[in-house]
Amino acid sequence: MRVLVVDDQKSMRGLATYYLKQIEFEEIDEAESARDALMQMQKKRYDLLLLDWNMEGMSGIDLLKAIRSIPELNKIKIIMATSERSVDKVDEAKSHGADHYVVKPYELRDLEMRIAKVFES
């Protein structure tokens, strides 16, 4: 399974990558912006995206909307990994097609549980 971690903070990308390796994911790429992520998705197929909400330029929610509007990318599982914790934000992300939501800072177990739930369905 291929995973793309999209976050403008290098430390958060590094932590997410570390956690994913602990869960035995091997194919993990990183993108520091939504635009970078879109370029990478044109070159490779991903099964899962960990997507930050607040990024310069194109936000994570805008990237989520873009991905869900492209039929070839619509099957990618997306977990919003963000510090946005309000119920309204969670509802907004889910209404635009997020498969799950995890609030930063998260622990390994939090991420592992959400990934398991996403791939159960």
Side-chain angles (χ1 to χ4, degrees), residues 7-60:
D7 198 306
D8 58 346
Q9 292 183 334
K10 186 176 182 175
S11 60
M12 288 309 301
R13 289 192 313 269
L15 181 63
T17 297
Y18 174 77
Y19 283 166
L20 289 164
K21 287 179 180 179
Q22 297 301 306
I23 311 169
E24 299 185 6
F25 284 92
E26 294 176 5
E27 294 186 53
I28 306 163
D29 293 327
E30 297 179 11
E32 64 182 332
S33 70
R35 295 195 192 291
D36 185 27
L38 280 172
M39 290 184 352
Q40 289 189 46
M41 285 187 282
Q42 290 174 353
K43 298 174 188 172
K44 282 186 183 178
R45 295 258 180 229
Y46 292 96
D47 303 295
L48 173 66
L49 257 68
L50 288 183
L51 180 56
D52 183 28
W53 190 302
N54 296 309
M55 294 183 286
E56 290 289 321
M58 182 183 216
S59 71

Side-chain angles (χ1 to χ4, degrees), residues 89-108:
K89 294 291 187 179
V90 173
D91 289 345
E92 182 180 356
K94 289 188 176 185
S95 74
H96 290 294
D99 295 290
H100 222 300
Y101 199 97
V102 63
V103 176
K104 294 192 278 186
Y106 51 85
E107 298 293 326
L108 172 62

